[in-house]
Amino acid sequence: MEVTGKVKVINAEQQVSASFKKRELVVTTEEQYPQHIMIEFTQDKCDLLNSYKQGEAVKVSINLRGREWVNPQGETKYFNSIQGWRIERLASEAPVQTAPIPAAEAFEPASNFKEEDHDDLPF
């Protein structure tokens, strides 16, 4: 799956445990009702965010993850996370430069035009 939008936030890397680190990215989608999607990059994927900055248009490849947890009271809870595994810059939408269209040459006036001539075009 993919999420496209503009980088809103890139958080610092967090060392969660001795063997696990993560970094969070928030991407704001560009649609009628923009969404702020938080995406986690973990372990060696954290470094992918080093060259990105706020405001850049990106496309992020993601996986949805879900897990089950039973709390001490015996209640089962479910959690979802969005994990990023690739990020790419989108081409900026700069105006396309095209060569100017040369002016059309003037047509010679019709010399034998008669208003009375019937035209059989259907419109």
Side-chain angles (χ1 to χ4, degrees):
M1 299 178 76
E2 295 175 340
V3 173
T4 59
K6 291 196 179 199
V7 174
K8 182 177 176 98
V9 175
I10 300 177
N11 289 331
E13 187 175 289
Q14 300 171 9
Q15 193 70 42
V16 177
S17 70
S19 61
F20 183 76
K21 62 183 179 178
K22 72 176 185 175
R23 193 166 182 191
E24 296 171 340
L25 166 75
V26 178
V27 173
T28 302
T29 63
E30 295 178 339
E31 51 197 0
Q32 183 177 3
Y33 301 104
Q35 302 295 308
H36 306 287
I37 309 294
M38 198 274 295
I39 303 166
E40 292 181 341
F41 285 76
T42 59
Q43 303 301 79
D44 61 330
K45 302 295 183 194
C46 292
D47 294 336
L48 295 176
L49 301 178
N50 290 343
S51 65
Y52 291 89
K53 58 184 181 233
Q54 186 175 351
E56 286 187 291
V58 294
K59 176 172 70 171
V60 184
S61 298
I62 61 168
N63 289 327
L64 295 176
R65 299 281 183 225
R67 62 189 174 282
E68 180 180 88
W69 176 70
V70 179
N71 70 15
Q73 291 78 29
E75 299 170 323
T76 302
K77 304 279 184 174
Y78 296 92
F79 297 92
N80 297 318
S81 62
I82 302 171
Q83 285 194 332
W85 53 274
R86 180 172 52 196
I87 182 170
E88 331 173 24
R89 281 181 183 83
L90 292 177
S92 63
E93 296 181 15
V96 177
Q97 297 291 330
T98 59
I101 299 172
E105 295 180 22
F107 292 100
E108 289 183 29
S111 59
N112 59 353
F113 178 74
K114 294 181 188 164
E115 193 69 42
E116 303 83 40
D117 288 347
H118 178 66
D119 191 357
D120 61 350
L121 292 176
F123 48 87

mmCIF file of all heavy atoms in Angstrom, residues 58-109:
data_model
loop_
_atom_site.group_PDB
_atom_site.id
_atom_site.type_symbol
_atom_site.label_atom_id
_atom_site.label_comp_id
_atom_site.label_asym_id
_atom_site.label_seq_id
_atom_site.Cartn_x
_atom_site.Cartn_y
_atom_site.Cartn_z
ATOM 1 N N VAL A 58 5.833 13.486 -0.841
ATOM 2 C CA VAL A 58 6.412 12.149 -0.799
ATOM 3 C C VAL A 58 5.376 11.076 -1.093
ATOM 4 O O VAL A 58 4.166 11.296 -0.988
ATOM 5 C CB VAL A 58 7.058 11.858 0.581
ATOM 6 C CG1 VAL A 58 8.258 12.739 0.840
ATOM 7 C CG2 VAL A 58 6.050 11.969 1.698
ATOM 8 N N LYS A 59 5.900 9.915 -1.454
ATOM 9 C CA LYS A 59 5.091 8.701 -1.568
ATOM 10 C C LYS A 59 5.757 7.675 -0.650
ATOM 11 O O LYS A 59 6.952 7.397 -0.786
ATOM 12 C CB LYS A 59 5.053 8.193 -3.003
ATOM 13 C CG LYS A 59 4.308 6.874 -3.149
ATOM 14 C CD LYS A 59 4.099 6.475 -4.601
ATOM 15 C CE LYS A 59 5.386 6.088 -5.265
ATOM 16 N NZ LYS A 59 5.183 5.497 -6.605
ATOM 17 N N VAL A 60 4.982 7.142 0.306
ATOM 18 C CA VAL A 60 5.518 6.213 1.290
ATOM 19 C C VAL A 60 4.878 4.844 1.078
ATOM 20 O O VAL A 60 3.648 4.733 1.050
ATOM 21 C CB VAL A 60 5.247 6.702 2.729
ATOM 22 C CG1 VAL A 60 5.892 5.773 3.740
ATOM 23 C CG2 VAL A 60 5.737 8.136 2.919
ATOM 24 N N SER A 61 5.710 3.820 0.928
ATOM 25 C CA SER A 61 5.209 2.447 0.841
ATOM 26 C C SER A 61 5.051 1.929 2.262
ATOM 27 O O SER A 61 5.961 2.062 3.080
ATOM 28 C CB SER A 61 6.191 1.578 0.064
ATOM 29 O OG SER A 61 6.313 2.062 -1.256
ATOM 30 N N ILE A 62 3.887 1.344 2.544
ATOM 31 C CA ILE A 62 3.563 0.950 3.919
ATOM 32 C C ILE A 62 3.019 -0.468 3.999
ATOM 33 O O ILE A 62 2.551 -1.029 3.011
ATOM 34 C CB ILE A 62 2.519 1.907 4.539
ATOM 35 C CG1 ILE A 62 1.215 1.859 3.726
ATOM 36 C CG2 ILE A 62 3.063 3.320 4.636
ATOM 37 C CD1 ILE A 62 0.037 2.531 4.397
ATOM 38 N N ASN A 63 3.069 -1.008 5.202
ATOM 39 C CA ASN A 63 2.379 -2.242 5.560
ATOM 40 C C ASN A 63 1.507 -1.941 6.764
ATOM 41 O O ASN A 63 1.914 -1.195 7.658
ATOM 42 C CB ASN A 63 3.373 -3.346 5.942
ATOM 43 C CG ASN A 63 4.146 -3.859 4.756
ATOM 44 O OD1 ASN A 63 3.639 -3.906 3.650
ATOM 45 N ND2 ASN A 63 5.396 -4.231 4.984
ATOM 46 N N LEU A 64 0.311 -2.494 6.792
ATOM 47 C CA LEU A 64 -0.558 -2.393 7.963
ATOM 48 C C LEU A 64 -0.258 -3.574 8.867
ATOM 49 O O LEU A 64 -0.173 -4.711 8.412
ATOM 50 C CB LEU A 64 -2.033 -2.415 7.558
ATOM 51 C CG LEU A 64 -2.527 -1.240 6.727
ATOM 52 C CD1 LEU A 64 -3.985 -1.452 6.334
ATOM 53 C CD2 LEU A 64 -2.355 0.064 7.472
ATOM 54 N N ARG A 65 -0.113 -3.284 10.148
ATOM 55 C CA ARG A 65 0.169 -4.329 11.128
ATOM 56 C C ARG A 65 -0.903 -4.290 12.205
ATOM 57 O O ARG A 65 -1.344 -3.218 12.607
ATOM 58 C CB ARG A 65 1.540 -4.113 11.776
ATOM 59 C CG ARG A 65 2.691 -4.160 10.799
ATOM 60 C CD ARG A 65 3.004 -5.599 10.484
ATOM 61 N NE ARG A 65 4.164 -5.661 9.605
ATOM 62 C CZ ARG A 65 4.223 -6.426 8.545
ATOM 63 N NH1 ARG A 65 3.202 -7.192 8.226
ATOM 64 N NH2 ARG A 65 5.290 -6.463 7.805
ATOM 65 N N GLY A 66 -1.291 -5.450 12.709
ATOM 66 C CA GLY A 66 -2.262 -5.540 13.794
ATOM 67 C C GLY A 66 -1.770 -6.549 14.814
ATOM 68 O O GLY A 66 -1.111 -7.524 14.464
ATOM 69 N N ARG A 67 -2.075 -6.286 16.076
ATOM 70 C CA ARG A 67 -1.665 -7.237 17.107
ATOM 71 C C ARG A 67 -2.720 -7.296 18.214
ATOM 72 O O ARG A 67 -3.485 -6.367 18.415
ATOM 73 C CB ARG A 67 -0.287 -6.906 17.653
ATOM 74 C CG ARG A 67 -0.161 -5.576 18.320
ATOM 75 C CD ARG A 67 1.308 -5.259 18.621
ATOM 76 N NE ARG A 67 1.460 -3.927 19.142
ATOM 77 C CZ ARG A 67 1.445 -2.805 18.439
ATOM 78 N NH1 ARG A 67 1.263 -2.854 17.145
ATOM 79 N NH2 ARG A 67 1.606 -1.639 19.012
ATOM 80 N N GLU A 68 -2.679 -8.375 18.916
ATOM 81 C CA GLU A 68 -3.603 -8.619 20.013
ATOM 82 C C GLU A 68 -2.817 -8.554 21.321
ATOM 83 O O GLU A 68 -1.677 -9.009 21.399
ATOM 84 C CB GLU A 68 -4.203 -10.017 19.820
ATOM 85 C CG GLU A 68 -5.184 -10.444 20.864
ATOM 86 C CD GLU A 68 -5.706 -11.826 20.576
ATOM 87 O OE1 GLU A 68 -5.068 -12.799 21.023
ATOM 88 O OE2 GLU A 68 -6.744 -11.941 19.904
ATOM 89 N N TRP A 69 -3.453 -7.981 22.363
ATOM 90 C CA TRP A 69 -2.811 -7.892 23.669
ATOM 91 C C TRP A 69 -3.860 -8.137 24.734
ATOM 92 O O TRP A 69 -4.974 -7.603 24.664
ATOM 93 C CB TRP A 69 -2.184 -6.498 23.829
ATOM 94 C CG TRP A 69 -1.579 -6.248 25.170
ATOM 95 C CD1 TRP A 69 -0.453 -6.818 25.688
ATOM 96 C CD2 TRP A 69 -2.063 -5.355 26.181
ATOM 97 N NE1 TRP A 69 -0.199 -6.329 26.943
ATOM 98 C CE2 TRP A 69 -1.178 -5.418 27.275
ATOM 99 C CE3 TRP A 69 -3.156 -4.498 26.260
ATOM 100 C CZ2 TRP A 69 -1.348 -4.679 28.431
ATOM 101 C CZ3 TRP A 69 -3.334 -3.753 27.417
ATOM 102 C CH2 TRP A 69 -2.437 -3.845 28.486
ATOM 103 N N VAL A 70 -3.521 -8.949 25.714
ATOM 104 C CA VAL A 70 -4.427 -9.217 26.833
ATOM 105 C C VAL A 70 -3.885 -8.461 28.037
ATOM 106 O O VAL A 70 -2.743 -8.689 28.468
ATOM 107 C CB VAL A 70 -4.523 -10.730 27.126
ATOM 108 C CG1 VAL A 70 -5.453 -10.987 28.304
ATOM 109 C CG2 VAL A 70 -4.999 -11.480 25.891
ATOM 110 N N ASN A 71 -4.694 -7.545 28.584
ATOM 111 C CA ASN A 71 -4.240 -6.740 29.725
ATOM 112 C C ASN A 71 -4.290 -7.566 31.012
ATOM 113 O O ASN A 71 -4.834 -8.676 31.024
ATOM 114 C CB ASN A 71 -5.033 -5.436 29.814
ATOM 115 C CG ASN A 71 -6.483 -5.614 30.216
ATOM 116 O OD1 ASN A 71 -6.895 -6.651 30.706
ATOM 117 N ND2 ASN A 71 -7.276 -4.573 30.005
ATOM 118 N N PRO A 72 -3.737 -7.047 32.103
ATOM 119 C CA PRO A 72 -3.724 -7.803 33.369
ATOM 120 C C PRO A 72 -5.106 -8.183 33.894
ATOM 121 O O PRO A 72 -5.244 -9.135 34.655
ATOM 122 C CB PRO A 72 -3.018 -6.850 34.349
ATOM 123 C CG PRO A 72 -2.170 -5.983 33.468
ATOM 124 C CD PRO A 72 -2.949 -5.829 32.190
ATOM 125 N N GLN A 73 -6.138 -7.450 33.468
ATOM 126 C CA GLN A 73 -7.505 -7.780 33.891
ATOM 127 C C GLN A 73 -8.128 -8.865 33.019
ATOM 128 O O GLN A 73 -9.283 -9.240 33.213
ATOM 129 C CB GLN A 73 -8.395 -6.532 33.850
ATOM 130 C CG GLN A 73 -8.060 -5.479 34.896
ATOM 131 C CD GLN A 73 -6.825 -4.656 34.515
ATOM 132 O OE1 GLN A 73 -6.536 -4.470 33.345
ATOM 133 N NE2 GLN A 73 -6.104 -4.210 35.529
ATOM 134 N N GLY A 74 -7.396 -9.351 32.037
ATOM 135 C CA GLY A 74 -7.895 -10.416 31.174
ATOM 136 C C GLY A 74 -8.658 -9.933 29.958
ATOM 137 O O GLY A 74 -9.192 -10.746 29.203
ATOM 138 N N GLU A 75 -8.731 -8.608 29.737
ATOM 139 C CA GLU A 75 -9.434 -8.065 28.571
ATOM 140 C C GLU A 75 -8.505 -8.092 27.360
ATOM 141 O O GLU A 75 -7.340 -7.731 27.462
ATOM 142 C CB GLU A 75 -9.878 -6.627 28.831
ATOM 143 C CG GLU A 75 -10.824 -6.481 29.996
ATOM 144 C CD GLU A 75 -11.050 -5.019 30.363
ATOM 145 O OE1 GLU A 75 -10.102 -4.213 30.287
ATOM 146 O OE2 GLU A 75 -12.196 -4.694 30.719
ATOM 147 N N THR A 76 -9.056 -8.493 26.234
ATOM 148 C CA THR A 76 -8.270 -8.536 24.997
ATOM 149 C C THR A 76 -8.420 -7.213 24.267
ATOM 150 O O THR A 76 -9.537 -6.723 24.075
ATOM 151 C CB THR A 76 -8.741 -9.688 24.096
ATOM 152 O OG1 THR A 76 -8.620 -10.912 24.819
ATOM 153 C CG2 THR A 76 -7.918 -9.769 22.827
ATOM 154 N N LYS A 77 -7.301 -6.630 23.877
ATOM 155 C CA LYS A 77 -7.271 -5.366 23.134
ATOM 156 C C LYS A 77 -6.561 -5.609 21.804
ATOM 157 O O LYS A 77 -5.695 -6.479 21.695
ATOM 158 C CB LYS A 77 -6.506 -4.287 23.911
ATOM 159 C CG LYS A 77 -7.018 -4.016 25.292
ATOM 160 C CD LYS A 77 -8.198 -3.105 25.244
ATOM 161 C CE LYS A 77 -8.640 -2.756 26.663
ATOM 162 N NZ LYS A 77 -9.676 -1.792 26.701
ATOM 163 N N TYR A 78 -6.933 -4.818 20.810
ATOM 164 C CA TYR A 78 -6.323 -4.922 19.489
ATOM 165 C C TYR A 78 -5.730 -3.574 19.102
ATOM 166 O O TYR A 78 -6.344 -2.535 19.338
ATOM 167 C CB TYR A 78 -7.354 -5.374 18.454
ATOM 168 C CG TYR A 78 -7.868 -6.761 18.758
ATOM 169 C CD1 TYR A 78 -9.011 -6.942 19.529
ATOM 170 C CD2 TYR A 78 -7.186 -7.882 18.298
ATOM 171 C CE1 TYR A 78 -9.465 -8.201 19.830
ATOM 172 C CE2 TYR A 78 -7.641 -9.161 18.605
ATOM 173 C CZ TYR A 78 -8.775 -9.313 19.369
ATOM 174 O OH TYR A 78 -9.223 -10.569 19.678
ATOM 175 N N PHE A 79 -4.558 -3.608 18.517
ATOM 176 C CA PHE A 79 -3.862 -2.399 18.116
ATOM 177 C C PHE A 79 -3.431 -2.514 16.666
ATOM 178 O O PHE A 79 -3.067 -3.596 16.203
ATOM 179 C CB PHE A 79 -2.612 -2.171 18.985
ATOM 180 C CG PHE A 79 -2.936 -1.956 20.427
ATOM 181 C CD1 PHE A 79 -2.977 -3.028 21.307
ATOM 182 C CD2 PHE A 79 -3.224 -0.693 20.901
ATOM 183 C CE1 PHE A 79 -3.282 -2.834 22.636
ATOM 184 C CE2 PHE A 79 -3.530 -0.491 22.237
ATOM 185 C CZ PHE A 79 -3.563 -1.566 23.109
ATOM 186 N N ASN A 80 -3.467 -1.395 15.967
ATOM 187 C CA ASN A 80 -3.001 -1.327 14.578
ATOM 188 C C ASN A 80 -1.824 -0.371 14.493
ATOM 189 O O ASN A 80 -1.747 0.593 15.260
ATOM 190 C CB ASN A 80 -4.108 -0.814 13.654
ATOM 191 C CG ASN A 80 -5.294 -1.740 13.624
ATOM 192 O OD1 ASN A 80 -5.152 -2.951 13.573
ATOM 193 N ND2 ASN A 80 -6.478 -1.172 13.672
ATOM 194 N N SER A 81 -0.956 -0.612 13.548
ATOM 195 C CA SER A 81 0.130 0.332 13.277
ATOM 196 C C SER A 81 0.382 0.345 11.777
ATOM 197 O O SER A 81 0.042 -0.604 11.058
ATOM 198 C CB SER A 81 1.397 -0.032 14.048
ATOM 199 O OG SER A 81 1.874 -1.294 13.653
ATOM 200 N N ILE A 82 0.960 1.438 11.335
ATOM 201 C CA ILE A 82 1.319 1.604 9.933
ATOM 202 C C ILE A 82 2.837 1.662 9.878
ATOM 203 O O ILE A 82 3.440 2.559 10.472
ATOM 204 C CB ILE A 82 0.700 2.880 9.346
ATOM 205 C CG1 ILE A 82 -0.822 2.857 9.494
ATOM 206 C CG2 ILE A 82 1.115 3.049 7.889
ATOM 207 C CD1 ILE A 82 -1.496 4.163 9.138
ATOM 208 N N GLN A 83 3.446 0.702 9.207
ATOM 209 C CA GLN A 83 4.908 0.646 9.131
ATOM 210 C C GLN A 83 5.377 1.008 7.733
ATOM 211 O O GLN A 83 4.919 0.433 6.740
ATOM 212 C CB GLN A 83 5.424 -0.745 9.476
ATOM 213 C CG GLN A 83 5.353 -1.031 10.950
ATOM 214 C CD GLN A 83 6.160 -2.253 11.317
ATOM 215 O OE1 GLN A 83 6.341 -3.155 10.500
ATOM 216 N NE2 GLN A 83 6.632 -2.299 12.540
ATOM 217 N N GLY A 84 6.283 1.971 7.676
ATOM 218 C CA GLY A 84 6.871 2.371 6.402
ATOM 219 C C GLY A 84 8.089 1.543 6.093
ATOM 220 O O GLY A 84 8.843 1.164 6.988
ATOM 221 N N TRP A 85 8.275 1.251 4.813
ATOM 222 C CA TRP A 85 9.470 0.509 4.415
ATOM 223 C C TRP A 85 10.180 1.139 3.223
ATOM 224 O O TRP A 85 11.292 0.752 2.872
ATOM 225 C CB TRP A 85 9.148 -0.963 4.154
ATOM 226 C CG TRP A 85 8.031 -1.214 3.186
ATOM 227 C CD1 TRP A 85 6.707 -1.271 3.458
ATOM 228 C CD2 TRP A 85 8.143 -1.448 1.781
ATOM 229 N NE1 TRP A 85 5.982 -1.526 2.315
ATOM 230 C CE2 TRP A 85 6.846 -1.645 1.259
ATOM 231 C CE3 TRP A 85 9.222 -1.521 0.894
ATOM 232 C CZ2 TRP A 85 6.601 -1.899 -0.079
ATOM 233 C CZ3 TRP A 85 8.968 -1.777 -0.436
ATOM 234 C CH2 TRP A 85 7.672 -1.966 -0.904
ATOM 235 N N ARG A 86 9.563 2.156 2.620
ATOM 236 C CA ARG A 86 10.222 2.901 1.534
ATOM 237 C C ARG A 86 9.582 4.282 1.468
ATOM 238 O O ARG A 86 8.404 4.443 1.740
ATOM 239 C CB ARG A 86 10.062 2.188 0.190
ATOM 240 C CG ARG A 86 10.733 2.955 -0.949
ATOM 241 C CD ARG A 86 10.784 2.208 -2.261
ATOM 242 N NE ARG A 86 9.458 1.712 -2.637
ATOM 243 C CZ ARG A 86 9.269 0.776 -3.552
ATOM 244 N NH1 ARG A 86 10.290 0.236 -4.171
ATOM 245 N NH2 ARG A 86 8.051 0.372 -3.860
ATOM 246 N N ILE A 87 10.403 5.276 1.080
ATOM 247 C CA ILE A 87 9.892 6.631 0.909
ATOM 248 C C ILE A 87 10.574 7.229 -0.313
ATOM 249 O O ILE A 87 11.766 7.002 -0.527
ATOM 250 C CB ILE A 87 10.108 7.492 2.179
ATOM 251 C CG1 ILE A 87 9.518 8.900 2.002
ATOM 252 C CG2 ILE A 87 11.559 7.525 2.574
ATOM 253 C CD1 ILE A 87 9.476 9.719 3.285
ATOM 254 N N GLU A 88 9.791 7.945 -1.126
ATOM 255 C CA GLU A 88 10.335 8.588 -2.333
ATOM 256 C C GLU A 88 9.782 9.994 -2.451
ATOM 257 O O GLU A 88 8.643 10.245 -2.089
ATOM 258 C CB GLU A 88 9.948 7.853 -3.628
ATOM 259 C CG GLU A 88 9.716 6.419 -3.549
ATOM 260 C CD GLU A 88 9.183 5.819 -4.837
ATOM 261 O OE1 GLU A 88 9.383 6.359 -5.940
ATOM 262 O OE2 GLU A 88 8.544 4.783 -4.715
ATOM 263 N N ARG A 89 10.603 10.881 -2.985
ATOM 264 C CA ARG A 89 10.143 12.239 -3.279
ATOM 265 C C ARG A 89 9.274 12.194 -4.528
ATOM 266 O O ARG A 89 9.582 11.487 -5.474
ATOM 267 C CB ARG A 89 11.331 13.161 -3.543
ATOM 268 C CG ARG A 89 12.006 13.615 -2.294
ATOM 269 C CD ARG A 89 13.168 14.562 -2.580
ATOM 270 N NE ARG A 89 13.811 14.904 -1.346
ATOM 271 C CZ ARG A 89 14.727 14.166 -0.735
ATOM 272 N NH1 ARG A 89 15.134 13.045 -1.272
ATOM 273 N NH2 ARG A 89 15.246 14.549 0.408
ATOM 274 N N LEU A 90 8.226 12.984 -4.514
ATOM 275 C CA LEU A 90 7.405 13.135 -5.708
ATOM 276 C C LEU A 90 7.944 14.320 -6.486
ATOM 277 O O LEU A 90 8.395 15.310 -5.889
ATOM 278 C CB LEU A 90 5.944 13.372 -5.343
ATOM 279 C CG LEU A 90 5.234 12.188 -4.690
ATOM 280 C CD1 LEU A 90 3.809 12.573 -4.320
ATOM 281 C CD2 LEU A 90 5.218 10.990 -5.614
ATOM 282 N N ALA A 91 7.876 14.242 -7.797
ATOM 283 C CA ALA A 91 8.347 15.344 -8.640
ATOM 284 C C ALA A 91 7.543 16.582 -8.316
ATOM 285 O O ALA A 91 6.324 16.527 -8.175
ATOM 286 C CB ALA A 91 8.203 14.983 -10.116
ATOM 287 N N SER A 92 8.236 17.695 -8.187
ATOM 288 C CA SER A 92 7.517 18.938 -7.908
ATOM 289 C C SER A 92 6.691 19.315 -9.122
ATOM 290 O O SER A 92 7.075 19.060 -10.255
ATOM 291 C CB SER A 92 8.489 20.059 -7.553
ATOM 292 O OG SER A 92 9.330 20.316 -8.653
ATOM 293 N N GLU A 93 5.585 19.929 -8.876
ATOM 294 C CA GLU A 93 4.670 20.280 -9.951
ATOM 295 C C GLU A 93 5.001 21.666 -10.493
ATOM 296 O O GLU A 93 4.242 22.610 -10.354
ATOM 297 C CB GLU A 93 3.236 20.219 -9.455
ATOM 298 C CG GLU A 93 2.831 18.818 -9.043
ATOM 299 C CD GLU A 93 1.406 18.753 -8.563
ATOM 300 O OE1 GLU A 93 0.644 19.705 -8.803
ATOM 301 O OE2 GLU A 93 1.057 17.746 -7.955
ATOM 302 N N ALA A 94 6.172 21.777 -11.103
ATOM 303 C CA ALA A 94 6.578 23.049 -11.694
ATOM 304 C C ALA A 94 5.819 23.232 -13.001
ATOM 305 O O ALA A 94 5.488 22.265 -13.690
ATOM 306 C CB ALA A 94 8.074 23.041 -11.963
ATOM 307 N N PRO A 95 5.522 24.471 -13.365
ATOM 308 C CA PRO A 95 4.805 24.685 -14.621
ATOM 309 C C PRO A 95 5.633 24.164 -15.806
ATOM 310 O O PRO A 95 6.846 24.314 -15.838
ATOM 311 C CB PRO A 95 4.624 26.194 -14.715
ATOM 312 C CG PRO A 95 5.290 26.784 -13.526
ATOM 313 C CD PRO A 95 5.825 25.690 -12.660
ATOM 314 N N VAL A 96 4.945 23.542 -16.713
ATOM 315 C CA VAL A 96 5.602 22.981 -17.886
ATOM 316 C C VAL A 96 5.920 24.115 -18.861
ATOM 317 O O VAL A 96 5.042 24.901 -19.218
ATOM 318 C CB VAL A 96 4.703 21.921 -18.561
ATOM 319 C CG1 VAL A 96 5.355 21.397 -19.815
ATOM 320 C CG2 VAL A 96 4.391 20.809 -17.592
ATOM 321 N N GLN A 97 7.174 24.195 -19.273
ATOM 322 C CA GLN A 97 7.583 25.223 -20.223
ATOM 323 C C GLN A 97 7.402 24.674 -21.636
ATOM 324 O O GLN A 97 7.965 23.640 -21.971
ATOM 325 C CB GLN A 97 9.059 25.605 -20.000
ATOM 326 C CG GLN A 97 9.322 26.220 -18.644
ATOM 327 C CD GLN A 97 8.693 27.590 -18.508
ATOM 328 O OE1 GLN A 97 8.537 28.313 -19.482
ATOM 329 N NE2 GLN A 97 8.317 27.950 -17.297
ATOM 330 N N THR A 98 6.618 25.340 -22.431
ATOM 331 C CA THR A 98 6.418 24.919 -23.812
ATOM 332 C C THR A 98 6.811 26.051 -24.738
ATOM 333 O O THR A 98 6.797 27.215 -24.351
ATOM 334 C CB THR A 98 4.940 24.551 -24.084
ATOM 335 O OG1 THR A 98 4.129 25.683 -23.798
ATOM 336 C CG2 THR A 98 4.501 23.370 -23.216
ATOM 337 N N ALA A 99 7.152 25.688 -25.948
ATOM 338 C CA ALA A 99 7.516 26.703 -26.934
ATOM 339 C C ALA A 99 6.267 27.492 -27.310
ATOM 340 O O ALA A 99 5.174 26.925 -27.414
ATOM 341 C CB ALA A 99 8.105 26.033 -28.175
ATOM 342 N N PRO A 100 6.392 28.801 -27.494
ATOM 343 C CA PRO A 100 5.207 29.578 -27.867
ATOM 344 C C PRO A 100 4.694 29.140 -29.236
ATOM 345 O O PRO A 100 5.465 28.788 -30.126
ATOM 346 C CB PRO A 100 5.713 31.015 -27.898
ATOM 347 C CG PRO A 100 7.197 30.936 -27.958
ATOM 348 C CD PRO A 100 7.591 29.601 -27.390
ATOM 349 N N ILE A 101 3.395 29.173 -29.376
ATOM 350 C CA ILE A 101 2.774 28.782 -30.644
ATOM 351 C C ILE A 101 2.827 29.992 -31.575
ATOM 352 O O ILE A 101 2.369 31.084 -31.210
ATOM 353 C CB ILE A 101 1.324 28.341 -30.419
ATOM 354 C CG1 ILE A 101 1.305 27.134 -29.487
ATOM 355 C CG2 ILE A 101 0.632 28.039 -31.743
ATOM 356 C CD1 ILE A 101 -0.077 26.732 -29.040
ATOM 357 N N PRO A 102 3.386 29.814 -32.759
ATOM 358 C CA PRO A 102 3.451 30.961 -33.679
ATOM 359 C C PRO A 102 2.046 31.383 -34.107
ATOM 360 O O PRO A 102 1.132 30.567 -34.176
ATOM 361 C CB PRO A 102 4.253 30.431 -34.863
ATOM 362 C CG PRO A 102 4.183 28.950 -34.766
ATOM 363 C CD PRO A 102 3.960 28.611 -33.328
ATOM 364 N N ALA A 103 1.881 32.657 -34.353
ATOM 365 C CA ALA A 103 0.588 33.176 -34.778
ATOM 366 C C ALA A 103 0.197 32.556 -36.118
ATOM 367 O O ALA A 103 1.031 32.361 -36.998
ATOM 368 C CB ALA A 103 0.653 34.693 -34.914
ATOM 369 N N ALA A 104 -1.080 32.230 -36.222
ATOM 370 C CA ALA A 104 -1.562 31.642 -37.472
ATOM 371 C C ALA A 104 -1.554 32.709 -38.568
ATOM 372 O O ALA A 104 -1.857 33.868 -38.316
ATOM 373 C CB ALA A 104 -2.975 31.094 -37.276
ATOM 374 N N GLU A 105 -1.201 32.270 -39.741
ATOM 375 C CA GLU A 105 -1.215 33.217 -40.862
ATOM 376 C C GLU A 105 -2.665 33.525 -41.231
ATOM 377 O O GLU A 105 -3.544 32.676 -41.117
ATOM 378 C CB GLU A 105 -0.489 32.610 -42.069
ATOM 379 C CG GLU A 105 0.989 32.398 -41.796
ATOM 380 C CD GLU A 105 1.701 31.798 -42.996
ATOM 381 O OE1 GLU A 105 1.210 31.924 -44.125
ATOM 382 O OE2 GLU A 105 2.755 31.204 -42.769
ATOM 383 N N ALA A 106 -2.894 34.728 -41.647
ATOM 384 C CA ALA A 106 -4.245 35.136 -42.005
ATOM 385 C C ALA A 106 -4.695 34.388 -43.253
ATOM 386 O O ALA A 106 -3.912 34.134 -44.159
ATOM 387 C CB ALA A 106 -4.285 36.640 -42.246
ATOM 388 N N PHE A 107 -5.968 34.012 -43.281
ATOM 389 C CA PHE A 107 -6.529 33.352 -44.451
ATOM 390 C C PHE A 107 -6.936 34.414 -45.463
ATOM 391 O O PHE A 107 -7.330 35.518 -45.108
ATOM 392 C CB PHE A 107 -7.764 32.519 -44.073
ATOM 393 C CG PHE A 107 -7.440 31.323 -43.228
ATOM 394 C CD1 PHE A 107 -7.634 31.348 -41.854
ATOM 395 C CD2 PHE A 107 -6.949 30.170 -43.810
ATOM 396 C CE1 PHE A 107 -7.337 30.259 -41.079
ATOM 397 C CE2 PHE A 107 -6.657 29.056 -43.040
ATOM 398 C CZ PHE A 107 -6.846 29.099 -41.672
ATOM 399 N N GLU A 108 -6.852 34.035 -46.702
ATOM 400 C CA GLU A 108 -7.356 34.939 -47.743
ATOM 401 C C GLU A 108 -8.868 34.932 -47.675
ATOM 402 O O GLU A 108 -9.482 33.889 -47.470
ATOM 403 C CB GLU A 108 -6.906 34.452 -49.123
ATOM 404 C CG GLU A 108 -5.434 34.625 -49.372
ATOM 405 C CD GLU A 108 -5.071 34.194 -50.789
ATOM 406 O OE1 GLU A 108 -5.918 34.283 -51.698
ATOM 407 O OE2 GLU A 108 -3.930 33.773 -50.950
ATOM 408 N N PRO A 109 -9.510 36.079 -47.852
ATOM 409 C CA PRO A 109 -10.974 36.090 -47.829
ATOM 410 C C PRO A 109 -11.533 35.314 -49.014
ATOM 411 O O PRO A 109 -10.944 35.290 -50.094
ATOM 412 C CB PRO A 109 -11.325 37.568 -47.903
ATOM 413 C CG PRO A 109 -10.072 38.292 -48.279
ATOM 414 C CD PRO A 109 -8.921 37.385 -48.022
#
